[in-house]
Amino acid sequence: MRLDLPPKTIPPFPEFVALIAACMAATALSVDTMLPALPVMGQAFGVDNPNRLQLIISVFFMGIGLGQFICGTLSDWLGRRKVLLGGLIAYVVISFIVSLVTDLEHMLILRFFQGMAAAAASVIPRSAIRDLYSGAQMAKMLSTAHVVFLAVPILAPSLGQLILLGLPWRGIFFVLTGAGALVALWVWLRLPETLDPEVRYAPSPGKFVRVAGFIASERTSLGYSLAVMLMTAMILSYLSLMPQIFDEVFHKPVMLGLVFALCAGAMAVGAFTNIKLVEKLGTRVMSHRSLTGVIVIATIHFLWALSGRETLLSFTILQAATMMCMAMCTSNFTAIAMEKVGHVAGTAASLQGVLSMVGGGFIGAWIGQFWVGGVWLLPLSALGLGIGAMTLIALAEKGHLYRNPA
């Protein structure tokens, strides 16, 4: 195979799943390895208010949201492969530059652009899956990729802590630079173009307006896209609050990596369970039941934490159960939101990504600023966001919940 030409066939299924998951993992790796380092970065930058450090996570998500719009739109015109490779190369360069900053303000600016570059590795794999799969098969493919993808959150915080044992916090960005370069090389060597040249089209303002209007008027696509936004806010509030919960409440920051790994493992179990059941039960039945689980468990956790009886063990069990149910519904929400937009998958995925990531980023950052030292804030946010998502879905389905369309 000539290295100056793309491969002409899709890799075998296991490698294709692993490659898609590796691309998507750039997002998780850029977030989860940061968590143990936030207090250290706060000291290095002289930050007085720890809540400001949450913005290191939030602005990255916002950058992904805007970047998804740009990358998804370009991929409908230039093809998936070129835009994905361009985004990965930009991610590598920016990750290295971030390691050189000396203040929080420049860190936040560069993290935003790092998120924009990482967006290519987020939105384009979903578009590539949509190019090749549909319906329950698409949901199964997304869930399969998520199982592999969730290995990163299991390991990343511990990896961050391990890096901090021998290197300053800048070493984390050196690792991100190297990981991004390896993924870019893998994509270059093994991933072919998945979008037929005959269905490509150049971006145009009129097209954006028409696609946005279609999504806004298509009840199912809009409702489930908004539900994904709230799930994004849920996980962002979780990511933002975890370092402070372990530092200020449990006073055991060294346990963050272990508990985070257990919660990520529970999410992997949820995604794997979804793989096994989604084709049998259908995407709507699975997602509606799972969202109900989020609401019920978050209610129990909120009341338990509010009673003052929260312990590290109870927190781990209840939070892991919440994350497991969330994982079972989020990939299905994404699949349902994409069902009727296959003819404009790239642009639609990018617009939905802007909505979910930017909207979820603002909501998650807003929730994090209410932190005053009580664990109850985390389950309360999950409860409110879960009820909001269920309300949106009920409106999208005209009240017909827990059943699939004929």
Side-chain angles (χ1 to χ4, degrees), residues 19 22-26 84-85 88 121 178-188:
L19 180 54
C23 292
M24 297 167 64
L84 177 57
L85 278 171
L88 287 170
L182 290 175
V183 174
L185 179 62
W186 192 4
V187 169
W188 183 37

Side-chain angles (χ1 to χ4, degrees), residues 65-120:
L66 181 58
Q68 283 186 354
F69 176 76
I70 297 171
C71 295
T73 301
L74 289 177
S75 75
D76 278 341
W77 177 29
L78 303 175
R80 314 298 188 209
R81 176 182 158 86
K82 290 180 181 178
V83 180
L84 177 57
L85 278 171
L88 287 170
I89 292 170
Y91 173 84
V92 169
V93 173
I94 296 171
S95 295
F96 177 74
I97 296 175
V98 173
S99 69
L100 306 177
V101 302
T102 57
D103 59 81
L104 181 61
E105 288 71 24
H106 285 95
M107 166 66 72
L108 296 179
I109 293 171
L110 287 169
R111 282 284 285 176
F112 178 81
F113 286 106
Q114 186 188 32
M116 288 186 64

Side-chain angles (χ1 to χ4, degrees), residues 4 188 262 293 299:
D4 59 333
W188 183 37
L262 292 173
T299 301

Side-chain angles (χ1 to χ4, degrees), residues 226-363:
L226 290 171
V228 173
M229 178 188 73
L230 296 185
M231 294 298 101
T232 302
M234 187 182 300
I235 195 166
L236 180 55
S237 61
Y238 162 75
L239 293 170
S240 299
L241 292 173
M242 283 286 277
Q244 287 168 277
I245 287 174
F246 277 80
D247 189 35
E248 300 177 25
V249 177
F250 295 129
H251 305 293
K252 294 181 178 179
V254 295
M255 294 295 292
L256 173 62
L258 175 60
V259 175
F260 197 89
L262 292 173
C263 290
M267 292 175 69
V269 170
F272 185 76
T273 302
N274 189 63
I275 293 171
K276 294 298 183 181
L277 297 179
V278 68
E279 288 186 304
K280 179 181 178 181
L281 299 179
T283 53
R284 283 167 172 79
V285 170
M286 278 296 300
S287 60
H288 298 172
R289 290 179 179 179
S290 302
L291 183 56
T292 301
V294 170
I295 294 171
V296 171
I297 297 168
T299 301
I300 295 171
H301 194 180
F302 169 65
L303 294 175
W304 182 259
L306 202 61
S307 71
R309 290 178 285 183
E310 184 78 281
T311 64
L312 183 58
L313 178 61
S314 66
F315 175 84
T316 303
I317 293 173
L318 291 170
Q319 190 60 40
T322 302
M323 304 306 287
M324 181 179 69
C325 291
M326 189 202 69
M328 283 193 286
C329 60
T330 303
S331 60
N332 291 323
F333 289 169
T334 302
I336 296 169
M338 292 287 288
E339 279 180 349
K340 298 180 180 180
V341 295
H343 57 297
V344 286
T347 303
S350 64
L351 288 172
Q352 291 168 351
V354 171
L355 181 64
S356 64
M357 300 300 286
V358 176
F362 275 111
I363 295 171

